[in-house]
Amino acid sequence: MIKSILIRILSLLFIGLIFLACQKEKKIPIKMPATDLSGENMIPKPLKIIPTNNGFALDKYTAIYTSKETTGFAEIGQFLADKIKFKTNLEIPVNEEGIDSIERVIYINQSDSVALNTPESYQLYINKDSVILNSNTAEGAFRGIQTLRQLIPFNSNDTLAKHQIWVVPTGKIIDKPNFEYRGSMLDVARHFFSVSDVKKYIDLLAYYKINILHLHLSDDQGWRIEIKSWPKLTTIGGSTEVGGASGGFYTQKEYSEIVAYAAERYITIIPEIDMPGHTNAASVSYPFLNGNGKKLKLYEGTRVGFSTFNTKKDTTYKFIDDVVNEISALTPGPYFHIGGDESHVTKKADYKYFVNRVEKIIRKHGKKMIGWDDIAVADIDSTSIAQFWRSEKNAKKAVKKGMKVIISIAQKAYLDMKYDSLSKHGLNWAGHIPVDTAYIWTPDNYIEIPKESILGIEAPLWSETISDINELEYLAFPRIIGYSELSWSTEENRNWDSYKKRLANHAPFLDMMDVKYYPSTLIDWKKSKFTYSSIKKD
Ligand code: ACM
């Protein structure tokens, strides 16, 4: 304890000395223009913003320092430096001591302040000569640097000094999330998406403080994760996808690479193995699993509800135990999703028996079970979680059982619904979801369940109609950005008119990241000279 206080004092002294050194050497002070923090482009909107109407000059004389005694802070400092380099081409040193030319610092500080009362809380103090980011945990620091990234302008000001300066507006931001669970789901089963596609999606989610990526890893059309004890799942079950292309799957090494990449961005991966329905690909691979009595063949269409596991055989549960064991061992997050939706050809009593028995397997492997709201009909434990996508009755049943609910209501939060009748991709069974409809609703009280029962919000992206990253981005962006605000920002801080102006200002970021977003005419998109290729060439 005393040691850590001493280290803290020494590091603050060290920063103080840097300041003094800078003051001595400072040549011509830069006269910063007044900029207004409240008028900026932050999504999700922070809890409190207090502008002080001055500017911090991000330039080649800026350095990043971090708390060193807490795991993760130095890496977050480097992450910020890498993102600043990508956006501005500035090389900002991280935790480098003895650089004479430094005039300004960004300090990412581990703080035990009681005001930081959730793991993701942070305070950002932007002053004329320093930016101080306080957070209790590395996770909070990571969320905070996303805010700072959004405050750095795309264009430098080249008239304030002889060198380029990116003017960051000064002020104070106090922030924390409204919901602890803020997710998106990606269906890699109907169409397979490569590791690099998933990583790109993770990078984009992280920028918007989303902290969950749920991967729908199996369905009738494909099984997408290597299971060493049941190899035909991928050699046979992974060989197809909707439309007849050759599918694919993640090796365990690749899946672990995704999990690690997400963890570096403080995103938890939730694996889903959908069962007892949506299991054709598994049953074709191992026919003893099949419970619908029909002849099995690989399936490349988009119908649902025709497959089921045999819920009566012990070998089915032995198989599930192996699968859950192997995937859980690769997944550090607390959750395992068992699907459980649309099991139309499983008898009701068999379905309940199955869900109860699988829940025990999930718990045996140290995970909390999540299932689509259909699972609420079974006699399950209050620690399991229901994902409310369709049935209000089931969602309320889950709450009665003491379970938490994730809000993913299809009419509002399904990323795979078309924007309108002219949408190039998407389905429409839950209606059209234009960008304003996606944003203007209140997940906190969409149905009458107490807010304490809502774990958070997740926007699922089913992939029947999309087969590559561009098509994925067309459906996900910009709507997922709105869901980030719906899950992070409080109801009082959400407002469509403000949001749509801020969203318009995100076009340069999306262009820079080469995101093929749907250019909704509801938004007056800001034009930008940036493209991904122009930045990459630098
Ligand atoms: C679902 O959309 N079948 C959960």
Side-chain angles (χ1 to χ4, degrees), residues 198-255:
V198 176
K199 284 185 177 173
K200 182 176 178 194
Y201 195 44
I202 287 171
D203 273 328
L204 294 164
L205 297 178
Y207 189 69
Y208 293 104
K209 301 189 175 72
I210 286 175
N211 64 352
I212 299 284
L213 177 61
H214 160 188
L215 291 174
H216 182 76
L217 290 165
S218 70
D219 212 303
D220 291 320
Q221 299 86 348
W223 183 284
R224 307 294 179 213
I225 180 161
E226 175 189 24
I227 302 295
K228 291 192 196 284
S229 53
W230 298 90
K232 288 190 208 161
L233 287 170
T234 41
T235 53
I236 297 175
S239 65
T240 47
E241 63 179 21
V242 167
S246 60
F249 65 92
Y250 307 120
T251 62
Q252 292 202 352
K253 192 160 166 276
E254 287 169 331
Y255 175 78

Side-chain angles (χ1 to χ4, degrees), residues 46 82 93 96 126 142 149 164 210 214 221 283 371 382 428 430 507 535:
D82 293 345
E96 271 184 39
I126 306 166
F142 189 80
R149 284 175 70 192
Q164 288 182 295
I210 286 175
H214 160 188
Q221 299 86 348
S283 292
S382 62
N428 59 12
I535 295 218

Side-chain angles (χ1 to χ4, degrees), residues 184-358:
S184 180
M185 184 210 79
L186 180 60
D187 172 9
V188 295
R190 267 49 173 275
H191 281 99
F192 182 64
F193 292 87
S194 68
V195 173
S196 64
D197 289 346
V198 176
K199 284 185 177 173
K200 182 176 178 194
Y201 195 44
I202 287 171
D203 273 328
L204 294 164
L205 297 178
Y207 189 69
Y208 293 104
K209 301 189 175 72
I210 286 175
N211 64 352
I212 299 284
L213 177 61
H214 160 188
L215 291 174
H216 182 76
L217 290 165
S218 70
D219 212 303
D220 291 320
Q221 299 86 348
W223 183 284
R224 307 294 179 213
I225 180 161
E226 175 189 24
I227 302 295
K228 291 192 196 284
S229 53
W230 298 90
K232 288 190 208 161
L233 287 170
T234 41
T235 53
I236 297 175
S239 65
T240 47
E241 63 179 21
V242 167
S246 60
F249 65 92
Y250 307 120
T251 62
Q252 292 202 352
K253 192 160 166 276
E254 287 169 331
Y255 175 78
S256 297
E257 192 182 320
I258 291 173
V259 167
Y261 193 82
E264 281 163 20
R265 286 148 187 80
Y266 295 86
I267 289 179
T268 299
I269 295 290
I270 299 182
E272 178 186 349
I273 296 298
D274 202 349
M275 52 193 164
H278 290 274
T279 43
N280 184 70
S283 292
V284 176
S285 312
Y286 293 102
F288 76 88
L289 292 167
N290 186 30
N292 73 6
K294 301 230 167 89
K295 198 167 163 333
L296 289 162
K297 55 178 189 321
L298 289 165
Y299 184 63
E300 295 159 351
T302 58
R303 275 188 305 117
V304 298
F306 61 89
S307 58
T308 181
F309 275 162
N310 186 324
T311 58
K312 300 227 161 74
K313 283 188 188 159
D314 283 343
T315 42
T316 301
Y317 298 98
K318 166 75 177 92
F319 165 84
I320 292 169
D321 194 302
D322 289 342
V323 168
V324 175
N325 180 32
E326 288 195 33
I327 297 176
S328 296
L330 305 170
T331 309
Y335 306 113
F336 196 106
H337 201 304
I338 66 148
D341 55 322
E342 299 173 313
S343 278
H344 301 323
V345 295
T346 320
K347 288 203 184 88
K348 202 161 176 187
D350 295 346
Y351 177 83
K352 288 184 188 176
Y353 172 78
F354 178 87
V355 171
N356 291 348
R357 200 159 159 184
V358 171

Side-chain angles (χ1 to χ4, degrees), residues 70-71 73 76 110-111 118-121 135-142:
T70 312
T71 313
F73 277 66
I76 289 169
Q110 197 277 331
S111 159
T118 77
E120 294 179 289
S121 300
S135 68
N136 202 230
T137 66
E139 195 181 357
F142 189 80

